[in-house]
Amino acid sequence: MKKIYYLLALFILGINSFAFCQGTNTVLQNVTSKLKALSTNHVIQKAYLHFDRPYYAAGDTMYFKAYVTLGDHPDLSKAGEILHVDLINPQNVTIRSIRLQLNKGVTWGDFDLPDTLQGGSYKVRAFTRYMQNEPEYFFTKTIAITSGSNKNAPVNANASAKADIQFFPEGGEMITSLVSKVAFKAIGTNGMGLGVKGVILDNTNTQVATFASTHLGMGSFYIQPIAGKTYKAKMTFADGTQNTVDLPVPEIKGIILQVKDTLGKTSVNIICNKAYFQENQGKDVNLVMYSQGRLSTVNTKLDNRVMGMDIAKDQFSSGILQVTLFSHDGEPLSERLVFLKNADLLNIAVNSNKPVYKVHDKAVINFNAKSNNTNSPGFFSVAVVDESRVPFDDNNETTILSYLLLTSDLKGYIEQPNYYFTSNNKQVQNDLDNLVLTQGYRKFSWKQLLNSDIKPFTYAPEKDLYIMGSEKTSGGEPVVNKDVILMQEGSVLGTAKTNNTGGFLFDMPPFYAGSSFTLQAAGSTKDKNSTIITVEKQPDPTVINNAFDSLMSRSAMYPAGNNTGNALANNAANSEQTIDGDEISGATSLTLALSGRLNSLNFVSGVPYLKGVKYPVLIVIDGKIRNSYINLDGVAPSNVKAVQLLKGASASSYGSSGSSGVLIINTRYGITSAAINEQNNVYKYEAQNVVKKKDYTTGTNNISYRSSNIGGPGHADQVVSGDAFKNTPNLPTGLNGLLHGIQFVSGVPYIRGNSIVGVGQDVPMYIVLDGTPINATLFGDIDPRSIETVEVLKGPSAAIYGMNGAGGVLVLTTRIQVSEDAQTIGSSLGTLQFKPVGFYKAREFYSPKYDASSSANGPDVRSTLYWNPNIVTDNDGNASFEFYNSDGHGSVRVIVEGIDVNGNLGRQVYRYKVE
């Protein structure tokens, strides 16, 4: 093997500091310039939340601290921004949403979990508006919440599923005559790893290798392919099932990378077979190593079939290192990911003033943080938990290390993410290497980057709160160039002048949710009494929910497969007609483009109908069922990837909802609800011309309400605003008496006296939540505060749902945003009092104090003994905190997490005993 001796060119690609590739090698110059542009124009932002506990029970308070980083290296974001945090229930409905103000990249908050909360798997999602540029970096964590008296962690049943396996040769390909490392991953259809073992056979059934998984269905083996032979794996899975799978066909000639991470260095070998060497001997090869904004490049001649080099690990920070080999003309030949664990990770030393405590004893905890043996001032959060009440599975935890350094940069769902950080022994290192070999890299692909095919960032950071509205006459005409006065508690905060549409805007200093303000029109009393002031809610960043759903699906586990693409292919195979987006990308509007291309489809007032069919087609955009009455022209033709029209048997997979036909639109970049008018604030379909609405409980005669009814708004027998019942304990209680002719039996809604002929018994109503049918028994578990409208459909109105609507239909549409303090926004003549949605004010964690003379007021059964999201170490890296133990005996767990001022991450777990 030839050893490559080189002068390592190390460049730091950052927002404010750049170094350019030296020399005349055009390949490396091009790669460096592209990566520089990526680091400048596509600065990645991530959010991570540290929770006080791994799971909760109804009635608990969920505390968390947010760390928001900006850039390839995990440096805390210096810009003050707004962080949005959502709590999402098992039905995928956002039941809480708060805004938090970031200060130097950190903030903290909490969710109070009601006693009546349904048990199940909830999700917490955190994001900024800027993160909409790369929504896959939204922080999303699944958290179990139990209900009733069961306070223990739920046990996940191991679903019985047919197993599958994929193989991943190191460097991308198996090459004849070269010894290749091949990683593999076996999973069930539940998305979880499954143990497997087996043998590798050639096309003559001769055994050439054996393999067995070592962790979560993953492992690796070595094979030396022979020219002219093919290979297959014959295996037995842990569930007893067997299978035989073909391995990738070896390439006749080729070159690959082999990378090994050892103590103190990373070894890189470039290996090619004889056929490739004879064809490319003496040509340039270029090695590019990239990690967290640092780029190293090496140029050498291919003058040996095996060439190797060692790289000092401290050249790069801890995290994923991407090593890519380029040909002399800039073609990516081979790529390898490797995970580095270096000394830059914070070493957090924790100690207590006693090794063993008694109940109610005061505990004093000290810790010191160092990076590279240097004291580290930084920002930390601490949780102290009674392990007898809250057992932990260390391997399954999502931590600041596992998320920011590993899982956020890999595609797909990662099982037991903290397993790779609990120890650094040889077995864990091998398992970690198998993980990065089998998971896809999220940040970029060389093909996209070198072809400049990276989507530009369009969302700017959301830094400030504001109040925006309009002033109009009672006749609806804009009041132009007039002053609007903003006041709070009698004090004038500012004055704004209306524009030519009557609009006005106040940039606001930070204020908390629940703050009251008053707007007043300036001018004479006559002018004021003829003026209506309206305030608009500051919109939240749009979330495309399907980016966060089905994380454990097969497509999530195998990033090489594309779920949207597979669905597209399946629908295309069954569709009556398919249009490729490239065919219509130059059209001025989508309705015009489709009118001339989709046979048997007519547009009436912008709504698509199949010829001869009474009801409009069902519209599905990016896999989500939308209203039939929406503005399709809100979807730019250039954003359309493909359109399919389904009807008859082809639409049967959508049940009765697809009986009028289905129009499926898949976009390239996603679409917002506002753009297609699901908020009904730009485009209003005059539904009165189709079906006269019979009753709207709020008393208004207009139909500009949001609806997930597939028939659109205005097609219900009764509509109830969510404001009428939002403060009730549950939906059956809140709606009882409000819904005409409907009774609730054990929380399930029935139309009085409604029975199906031949069955002879009442049937429950069909429940539709945001377009998705749900089990009627779950109706009482939906949070009333999350519902914007309830629509009642009976008889002919329910016919659009087919036989499912025989017992009547209840259509529930959730609010776009549910805040802890519901905003009060309305209009009045000349003056408006309102409560805009402001920043959430986090609760202060209560920790009791005991002394010799005090007596307990009751049992102290705290699960979380102490929570502090705001601990800052001094210049020597030191910090301390104190609290009192509860009545519990046994092990107490102290978890410290944080980031220092240089972007180095750390986590430490410390335990002590209470006797």
Side-chain angles (χ1 to χ4, degrees):
M1 178 181 75
K2 175 186 174 181
K3 201 72 172 178
I4 301 175
Y5 297 96
Y6 64 96
L7 177 62
L8 182 67
L10 177 66
F11 309 108
I12 300 176
L13 304 176
I15 302 174
N16 300 314
S17 175
F18 301 99
F20 295 91
C21 182
Q22 300 174 350
T24 58
N25 186 296
T26 56
V27 172
L28 295 181
Q29 286 179 337
N30 185 43
V31 168
T32 301
S33 65
K34 296 292 187 181
L35 282 173
K36 174 189 171 183
L38 183 73
S39 295
T40 304
N41 302 321
H42 291 74
V43 183
I44 297 299
Q45 188 177 62
K46 299 179 184 179
Y48 164 75
L49 268 56
H50 175 202
F51 295 87
D52 68 309
R53 291 164 53 185
Y55 50 87
Y56 299 87
D60 287 343
T61 298
M62 179 189 296
Y63 294 97
F64 57 84
K65 178 175 182 176
Y67 297 86
V68 177
T69 65
L70 187 65
D72 291 311
H73 190 265
D75 296 300
L76 288 170
S77 177
K78 301 299 190 294
E81 291 185 68
I82 298 174
L83 182 71
H84 300 260
V85 186
D86 299 335
L87 179 63
I88 304 168
N89 71 9
Q91 287 76 44
N92 210 33
V93 175
T94 301
I95 61 173
R96 298 285 189 278
S97 184
I98 60 176
R99 295 176 178 176
L100 297 171
Q101 184 180 20
L102 285 165
N103 182 15
K104 297 180 180 179
V106 298
T107 188
W108 49 89
D110 52 78
F111 288 120
D112 190 27
L113 308 177
D115 291 332
T116 56
L117 199 64
Q118 169 198 1
S121 294
Y122 286 70
K123 285 185 284 189
V124 175
R125 178 173 59 207
F127 57 96
T128 66
R129 184 173 69 181
Y130 179 79
M131 290 171 67
Q132 287 181 268
N133 292 299
E134 295 280 2
E136 60 266 33
Y137 285 103
F138 281 26
F139 176 86
T140 305
K141 180 176 180 176
T142 300
I143 296 179
I145 298 177
T146 58
S147 60
S149 59
N150 179 17
K151 301 288 185 176
N152 294 323
V155 177
N156 292 324
N158 190 8
S160 175
K162 182 180 178 181
D164 194 12
I165 192 168
Q166 284 193 345
F167 295 91
F168 304 86
E170 182 179 25
E173 295 174 333
M174 289 167 46
I175 311 294
T176 57
S177 76
L178 298 184
V179 176
S180 298
K181 180 178 181 179
V182 180
F184 59 87
K185 185 169 188 176
I187 62 167
T189 55
N190 61 354
M192 297 300 185
L194 189 65
V196 63
K197 61 181 179 180
V199 297
I200 305 297
L201 306 174
D202 65 15
N203 51 335
T204 65
N205 280 330
T206 301
Q207 180 177 318
V208 297
T210 63
F211 64 94
S213 59
T214 58
H215 183 65
L216 299 174
M218 292 178 288
S220 59
F221 60 90
Y222 289 90
I223 184 174
Q224 186 174 19
I226 297 175
K229 290 195 174 184
T230 57
Y231 299 89
K232 60 185 177 183
K234 187 176 182 179
M235 70 212 72
T236 301
F237 295 100
D239 61 3
T241 60
Q242 296 181 336
N243 198 6
T244 300
V245 176
D246 291 333
L247 265 62
V249 177
E251 295 293 326
I252 297 175
K253 58 184 176 181
I255 186 170
I256 59 172
L257 283 172
Q258 292 182 346
V259 180
K260 292 183 179 180
D261 179 33
T262 56
L263 293 177
K265 65 181 180 181
T266 298
S267 299
V268 179
N269 291 332
I270 302 171
I271 306 174
C272 64
N273 65 0
K274 183 177 180 180
Y276 186 91
F277 183 72
Q278 288 176 341
E279 189 173 298
N280 295 278
Q281 183 177 5
K283 294 181 180 179
D284 280 355
V285 288
N286 303 281
L287 197 63
V288 174
M289 292 158 284
Y290 180 75
S291 177
Q292 298 191 11
R294 288 177 173 263
L295 171 68
S296 295
T297 62
V298 176
N299 170 255
T300 187
K301 298 289 185 183
L302 186 63
D303 54 9
N304 199 297
R305 289 177 53 190
V306 181
M307 301 188 297
M309 59 182 290
D310 294 332
I311 303 169
K313 288 178 63 174
D314 57 9
Q315 293 282 354
F316 297 98
S317 301
S318 296
I320 293 177
L321 173 67
Q322 183 182 21
V323 185
T324 309
L325 182 67
F326 289 87
S327 69
H328 67 283
D329 57 1
E331 179 188 357
L333 299 174
S334 182
E335 184 168 273
R336 176 72 151 88
L337 302 183
V338 63
F339 189 88
L340 303 179
K341 288 184 183 179
N342 290 336
D344 59 322
L345 293 180
L346 292 180
N347 179 14
I348 303 175
V350 184
N351 63 77
S352 57
N353 62 327
K354 295 181 182 180
V356 179
Y357 294 88
K358 296 180 179 179
V359 296
H360 296 185
D361 271 358
K362 180 179 180 179
V364 179
I365 309 294
N366 304 286
F367 71 87
N368 172 265
K370 284 184 170 66
S371 175
N372 287 309
N373 294 318
T374 302
N375 293 325
S376 297
F379 306 90
F380 297 84
S381 46
V382 171
V384 182
V385 179
D386 184 345
E387 285 195 292
S388 65
R389 299 183 182 279
V390 186
F392 279 74
D393 182 346
D394 285 348
N395 292 340
N396 276 323
E397 289 189 71
T398 297
T399 71
I400 196 169
L401 298 176
S402 68
Y403 183 78
L404 290 179
L405 295 181
L406 182 65
T407 61
S408 61
D409 285 334
L410 295 177
K411 292 183 179 180
Y413 175 75
I414 310 298
E415 287 183 76
Q416 299 185 5
N418 197 43
Y419 164 78
Y420 306 102
F421 296 88
T422 55
S423 175
N424 201 31
N425 60 43
K426 187 64 175 177
Q427 183 61 57
V428 172
Q429 290 179 21
N430 289 336
D431 293 336
L432 178 55
D433 196 48
N434 290 331
L435 174 71
V436 296
L437 279 168
T438 56
Q439 299 289 146
Y441 192 46
R442 173 174 286 176
K443 285 192 175 180
F444 63 87
S445 71
W446 285 113
K447 181 178 179 181
Q448 284 182 308
L449 184 65
L450 297 178
N451 292 334
S452 300
D453 190 22
I454 301 292
K455 186 176 68 171
F457 279 8
T458 57
Y459 294 96
E462 179 187 28
K463 294 187 176 182
D464 302 307
L465 298 174
Y466 59 82
I467 293 174
M468 180 173 63
S470 62
E471 184 179 352
K472 296 183 179 181
T473 67
S474 56
E477 296 298 319
V479 177
V480 180
N481 201 30
K482 293 290 185 180
D483 287 336
V484 179
I485 303 169
L486 177 66
M487 297 180 291
Q488 186 177 37
E489 298 179 353
S491 300
V492 176
L493 299 181
T495 302
K497 198 170 289 292
T498 59
N499 60 20
N500 58 1
T501 64
F504 59 84
L505 176 69
F506 290 91
D507 289 320
M508 298 295 292
F511 62 87
Y512 287 120
S515 301
S516 298
F517 297 91
T518 300
L519 286 168
Q520 183 174 301
S524 65
T525 302
K526 179 180 178 181
D527 290 339
K528 294 178 183 178
N529 291 338
S530 62
T531 299
I532 297 176
I533 297 176
T534 302
V535 171
E536 300 176 15
K537 183 175 79 72
Q538 181 170 345
D540 294 317
T542 301
V543 174
I544 302 174
N545 282 321
N546 61 2
F548 311 100
D549 296 340
S550 304
L551 287 178
M552 294 185 183
S553 67
R554 182 184 303 273
S555 61
M557 293 299 297
Y558 290 146
N562 184 297
N563 192 39
T564 301
N566 292 338
L568 206 63
N570 292 337
N571 286 329
N574 297 313
S575 65
E576 300 289 332
Q577 191 173 355
T578 299
I579 297 177
D580 189 281
D582 292 338
E583 298 178 27
I584 59 174
S585 60
T588 57
S589 76
L590 186 58
T591 54
L592 287 175
L594 299 182
S595 295
R597 287 177 172 83
L598 287 177
N599 302 326
S600 72
L601 192 71
N602 291 329
F603 286 87
V604 180
S605 299
V607 179
Y609 290 79
L610 287 176
K611 292 178 181 178
V613 178
K614 178 180 180 181
Y615 296 109
V617 301
L618 180 69
I619 297 175
V620 179
I621 301 180
D622 292 332
K624 182 177 181 180
I625 296 176
R626 306 283 187 168
N627 290 342
S628 296
Y629 304 98
I630 63 174
N631 180 18
L632 284 178
D633 286 334
V635 183
S638 59
N639 186 24
V640 174
K641 184 176 182 181
V643 178
Q644 290 104 33
L645 177 63
L646 311 181
K647 57 183 180 180
S650 300
S652 60
S653 61
Y654 289 88
S656 59
S657 301
S659 58
S660 301
V662 182
L663 186 65
I664 299 174
I665 301 172
N666 287 280
T667 66
R668 302 180 192 274
Y669 311 119
I671 194 71
T672 66
S673 295
I676 57 176
N677 235 355
E678 288 194 318
Q679 297 176 24
N680 300 299
N681 58 355
V682 180
Y683 172 93
K684 296 179 181 178
Y685 174 69
E686 297 298 329
Q688 298 101 318
N689 297 331
V690 182
V691 178
K692 182 175 176 59
K693 177 178 60 63
K694 301 181 177 69
D695 176 45
Y696 189 58
T697 300
T698 59
T700 179
N701 291 322
N702 67 71
I703 63 162
S704 58
Y705 60 90
R706 293 181 64 247
S707 169
S708 54
N709 181 0
I710 60 174
H715 293 68
D717 295 279
Q718 183 185 2
V719 183
V720 178
S721 169
D723 292 338
F725 54 83
K726 67 182 180 183
N727 294 321
T728 58
N730 54 62
L731 278 183
T733 300
L735 294 175
N736 191 27
L738 283 180
L739 302 185
H740 304 162
I742 293 177
Q743 62 183 353
F744 291 89
V745 180
S746 299
V748 176
Y750 293 80
I751 294 178
R752 290 191 181 96
N754 186 45
S755 61
I756 297 179
V757 177
V759 177
Q761 62 182 18
D762 290 344
V763 294
M765 299 185 73
Y766 188 58
I767 311 296
V768 179
L769 178 67
D770 286 338
T772 302
I774 65 170
N775 192 313
T777 60
L778 300 177
F779 183 73
D781 295 325
I782 300 172
D783 190 337
R785 290 176 293 181
S786 70
I787 301 301
E788 183 169 329
T789 56
V790 175
E791 296 171 87
V792 180
L793 282 64
K794 306 176 184 177
S797 300
I800 194 171
Y801 288 92
M803 285 300 297
N804 290 326
V809 181
L810 275 187
V811 179
L812 311 180
T813 303
T814 59
R815 299 179 187 272
I816 297 174
Q817 188 259 359
V818 182
S819 65
E820 290 288 333
D821 300 290
Q823 56 185 353
T824 305
I825 291 183
S827 60
S828 60
L829 293 176
T831 302
L832 173 67
Q833 293 182 330
F834 64 102
K835 293 181 180 180
V837 177
F839 289 120
Y840 177 75
K841 187 174 184 179
R843 293 175 175 87
E844 184 175 349
F845 181 84
Y846 171 72
S847 183
K849 295 182 178 180
Y850 298 108
D851 56 44
S853 61
S854 66
S855 58
N857 294 321
D860 183 354
V861 292
R862 288 171 291 149
S863 297
T864 301
L865 305 184
Y866 181 75
W867 166 253
N868 190 338
N870 187 28
I871 293 182
V872 180
T873 52
D874 60 23
N875 289 333
D876 294 325
N878 294 318
S880 64
F881 53 93
E882 58 186 45
F883 57 92
Y884 288 83
N885 289 293
S886 66
D887 292 346
H889 297 79
S891 177
V892 173
R893 194 172 194 256
V894 181
I895 307 104
V896 181
E897 291 193 347
I899 304 178
D900 73 4
V901 294
N902 296 314
N904 299 311
L905 309 177
R907 182 177 191 267
Q908 186 60 268
V909 176
Y910 175 81
R911 289 177 170 87
Y912 65 81
K913 294 288 186 181
V914 177
E915 295 181 344

